[in-house]
Amino acid sequence: MKRLLWIPAVLLVIVLAGGWWLSRQPRQLPAQAEDPVIAAKLKDPEVIAQGRYLATVGDCVSCHTLRGGQSFAGGRMLPTPFGSIPAPNITPDAETGIGDWSFQDFWRALHDGMGRNGEPLYPAFSYTSFTKVDRDDAIAIFAYLRSLRPTHQPNAAPTLRFPYNLRSTLTAWRAVYFKAGTYRPDASQSASWNRGAYLVQGLGHCNECHAARGAWGGLEASATLSGGRIPEQGWYAPDLSTQANGGLTGWSRQDIIAVLKTGQASKGVAVGPMADVVAGSTQYLREDDLQAIADYLLSLPARAAQAPTRANFNAQSLISRGNVVYGERCEKCHGKNGAGIAGVYPPLDGNASVVEPTGINATRVVLLGGFSPLTAGNARPYSMPPYAQQLSDGDVAAVVTYIRQAWSNHAAAVQERDVAAYRHTPID
């Protein structure tokens, strides 16, 4: 019997060893002839223009561009709890990019999460969302990428810890967290709602940030757009429901459209990673697509009321201290009532980034400063200075706790130890 107990362990070692060996074997498939019908579409200027728009909707350039580097040439390391994964070069360079790819290669990556050589892709590439993109849109995106100037930039290797560096382990992960399939319209909803759902669930890949992840980095189906920490970036993407107990409770259609188009709304501004998304992607969306996204988000259901959290310490002294810090540092811009000044200084009363469950966002803004995106509709954005050098961890915890519990806000307190942790979280 004892010998039998060793069998699963031995099999696991064999599987991992085999995965390690396979991951080390170089395999490069030769270029394949393109389907003639698709080949014609790849050269159509209208298809290329549509692909450029769709690639912008998907904010592809954000991940596939090294800061200060050539657009789409890859090189940016994407941090995960398991190590870092480099975004590859997707310019049409034959040796280091996708110049030798056929559309079928591209479709397999986007739709099935499989590489050109048959290897499962790491889900830092959001194929769990991109699988919903339909074939015609995928052809357009591929046509646009093929129209770019080729850039020769070799791809770096992932720096994942064992056993996550073995692609064979992705087989089990995919079985639990991934199901391929394009978006299927809901016949009971309007065309605009379905367009919004298609963009949010697919190319926009909003759920990749705005949902909680499990221990293995997978997204739970029950947590769709309900908010979650952005792994390894030190920010919290809020719940996107506008209904009762949602992260955007009270937001109007115009608030949603305004924050996506300009980065500013009456309820708050886009900061942190979302500011980058607005600057590089959503500000360029057509009006009908913005309306469609608003239609979809406004339909998200109410959330269950959160049980009140009781601090394991007396927060009253922290709030009193925070009131003093607020008066000295914040009141001049944000007002005694936390209402701010429309179009200039964002409100703090009811602000989704202030009252999100963790307190990360407000803490990071106090430490690093608040920088709303530069957009066509907000050409001269006002910025909040960083206070990391002026305020101690205790002062930051106090003022953040104060604003999270002042006026109509009823969010949990932030402790000094939390501030210390967030202070040392990498910016990018």
Side-chain angles (χ1 to χ4, degrees):
M1 178 63 70
K2 290 184 178 179
R3 288 183 179 181
L4 292 177
L5 293 176
W6 282 96
I7 291 177
V10 171
L11 290 176
L12 177 61
V13 170
I14 292 173
V15 169
L16 292 178
W20 176 86
W21 184 83
L22 288 173
S23 68
R24 288 288 195 271
Q25 306 310 302
R27 292 182 297 165
Q28 182 64 46
L29 299 181
Q32 299 178 358
E34 189 63 85
D35 177 276
V37 175
I38 293 178
K41 291 182 178 180
L42 297 180
K43 297 178 181 179
D44 186 331
E46 291 187 4
V47 174
I48 293 172
Q50 174 68 356
R52 179 177 184 175
Y53 175 75
L54 293 171
T56 301
V57 172
D59 200 18
C60 305
V61 72
S62 176
C63 285
H64 290 277
T65 304
L66 181 66
R67 191 176 296 276
Q70 182 65 38
S71 296
F72 297 101
R76 180 178 178 183
M77 299 298 289
L78 306 178
T80 79
F82 317 107
S84 294
I85 301 171
N89 183 345
I90 55 173
T91 71
D93 180 68
E95 183 179 349
T96 64
I98 61 172
D100 280 348
W101 285 35
S102 67
F103 170 69
Q104 191 58 38
D105 295 326
F106 182 74
W107 175 252
R108 191 180 299 115
L110 196 73
H111 183 73
D112 298 319
M114 299 296 290
R116 183 167 180 255
N117 300 315
E119 73 279 15
L121 299 178
Y122 289 109
F125 174 58
S126 303
Y127 58 82
T128 45
S129 293
F130 296 150
T131 187
K132 295 183 182 295
V133 175
D134 69 37
R135 197 172 178 85
D136 286 341
D137 281 351
I139 290 173
I141 295 170
F142 188 57
Y144 169 62
L145 295 177
R146 291 293 297 268
S147 75
L148 298 172
R149 178 171 66 85
T151 300
H152 186 86
Q153 179 166 296
N155 295 306
T159 58
L160 296 170
R161 300 187 302 276
F162 180 85
Y164 310 109
N165 59 335
L166 304 181
R167 289 185 184 268
S168 58
T169 60
L170 286 171
T171 302
W173 189 94
R174 289 164 61 91
V176 176
Y177 294 112
F178 176 60
K179 182 178 181 181
T182 54
Y183 175 76
R184 294 184 178 182
D186 184 339
S188 69
Q189 299 287 351
S190 68
S192 179
W193 184 96
N194 275 292
R195 174 65 175 176
Y198 173 71
L199 293 175
V200 170
Q201 295 177 19
L203 269 179
H205 59 288
C206 305
N207 205 46
E208 303 292 333
C209 287
H210 291 273
R213 293 179 179 270
W216 297 103
L219 295 167
E220 302 293 342
S222 60
T224 300
L225 301 176
S226 61
R229 294 180 186 239
I230 304 176
E232 305 303 296
Q233 291 192 32
W235 292 92
Y236 186 91
D239 180 302
L240 295 183
S241 171
T242 64
Q243 306 302 316
N245 304 310
L248 303 183
T249 299
W251 280 54
S252 67
R253 169 184 297 274
Q254 188 52 42
D255 287 327
I256 294 171
I257 292 173
V259 79
L260 293 175
K261 188 70 176 176
T262 70
Q264 286 194 332
S266 66
K267 298 290 186 179
V269 301
V271 294
M274 190 62 202
D276 294 335
V277 172
V278 172
S281 175
T282 62
Q283 70 161 314
Y284 301 108
L285 266 61
R286 298 189 303 256
E287 182 65 25
D288 60 327
D289 279 343
L290 290 170
Q291 294 283 352
I293 290 172
D295 280 340
Y296 177 66
L297 294 184
L298 288 168
S299 76
L300 292 177
R303 309 301 191 188
Q306 296 293 317
T309 57
R310 298 184 63 182
N312 57 2
F313 67 102
N314 184 356
Q316 192 54 52
S317 61
L318 199 64
I319 294 172
S320 298
R321 179 180 175 185
N323 188 10
V324 174
V325 176
Y326 183 86
E328 294 173 346
R329 304 281 185 170
C330 316
E331 187 176 303
K332 183 177 180 180
C333 294
H334 295 285
K336 191 174 184 64
N337 59 359
I341 299 176
V344 183
Y345 305 120
L348 301 180
D349 184 15
N351 187 311
S353 285
V354 169
V355 298
E356 52 83 10
T358 66
I360 291 175
N361 291 355
T363 302
R364 294 276 277 174
V365 168
V366 172
L367 290 171
L368 304 175
F371 302 93
S372 58
L374 174 65
T375 60
N378 186 25
R380 299 183 66 183
Y382 286 83
S383 299
M384 171 182 157
Y387 285 103
Q389 301 302 318
Q390 288 80 25
L391 297 179
S392 67
D393 292 345
D395 284 339
V396 174
V399 73
V400 171
T401 296
Y402 171 74
I403 64 173
R404 281 168 61 81
Q405 298 191 7
W407 316 299
S408 67
N409 298 339
H410 300 288
V414 171
Q415 297 190 54
E416 186 172 337
R417 66 189 182 199
D418 299 323
V419 176
Y422 303 150
R423 185 187 288 270
H424 299 293
T425 302
I427 296 176
D428 189 8

